[in-house]
Amino acid sequence: VYTNGGFITSFAGDAFTALFPMSPEAEIRAVFTAFTVQKFFSQYTGIQTPTGDFPFGVNIGLGAGAVEWGIIGGDEGHTFYFRGEAIEGCTAADAVAGVGQIVAPMGFMRETLPQITAQPLGDYVLLTGGDVHLTPLNPNLTELTRADLMPFVDEAVFALDAAAEFRQVATVFISLQSTDRERIGRARV
């Protein structure tokens, strides 16, 4: 993701969301990254452990559009969020994708590539092919300091002195949606 000019905004269990800031090649770099991930999981389909065999599979949804972000929190810590058309689009496309598939909204790629075939899938397209070669961007990533991370990372993570544990949990994913009132408020600012 980083080598192709994107960045990972969040991890959610067994998934992550990545953004590729708009540039002339942003969509191509996102598609190339998707095919790279797909190829990796086609080669590594699972793992055998003493507690059982665990299969791996990946389905990928792509989207494009505006994204807003912010930082929320208080004395107990902070977190950041990203929301918007691109994230909603890739989430919806991901819901359509089956294991091993890359799905994008119809008309996702403004520039077509002869190596990629887009097969209609309702309001979406199934992308196949993927023999795209890009020059890595090799971004110069700044290393974050402990002070940079402290508002977002619990002290126990830095100290690594907390005992490991397994818990039964229930997870909730929350989609931050703009309301009409919020849009009006932002328009007045």
Side-chain angles (χ1 to χ4, degrees), residues 1-9 16-23 25-26 29-30 33 137-139 141:
V1 171
Y2 290 97
T3 299
N4 289 310
F7 64 98
I8 296 173
T9 63
F16 68 85
T17 302
L19 294 179
F20 293 79
M22 283 311 294
S23 71
E25 285 190 329
R29 290 189 176 279
T33 302
L137 294 178
N138 296 321
L141 301 176

Side-chain angles (χ1 to χ4, degrees), residues 9-10 40-41 50 63 88-89 95 98 102 106 118 120 123-124 130 138 166 170 185:
T9 63
S10 62
F40 175 87
F41 280 100
E88 292 168 8
I102 300 170
M106 191 73 73
D123 292 335
Y124 298 90
N138 296 321
F166 291 98

Side-chain angles (χ1 to χ4, degrees), residues 38-125:
Q38 181 190 54
K39 182 177 180 179
F40 175 87
F41 280 100
S42 71
Q43 295 170 346
Y44 301 98
T45 59
I47 187 170
Q48 295 177 337
T49 73
T51 58
D53 295 344
F54 298 94
F56 295 148
V58 64
N59 47 299
I60 301 170
L62 300 170
V67 173
E68 298 172 359
W69 70 278
I71 297 173
I72 55 177
D75 292 338
E76 295 297 315
H78 294 75
T79 191
F80 51 88
Y81 68 88
F82 292 83
R83 69 178 183 183
E85 181 184 0
I87 293 173
E88 292 168 8
C90 74
T91 302
D94 181 61
V96 173
V99 174
Q101 294 182 331
I102 300 170
V103 173
M106 191 73 73
F108 170 76
M109 290 181 57
R110 289 170 289 162
E111 182 180 338
T112 58
L113 298 172
Q115 306 92 326
I116 296 175
T117 303
Q119 301 169 2
L121 193 64
D123 292 335
Y124 298 90
V125 290

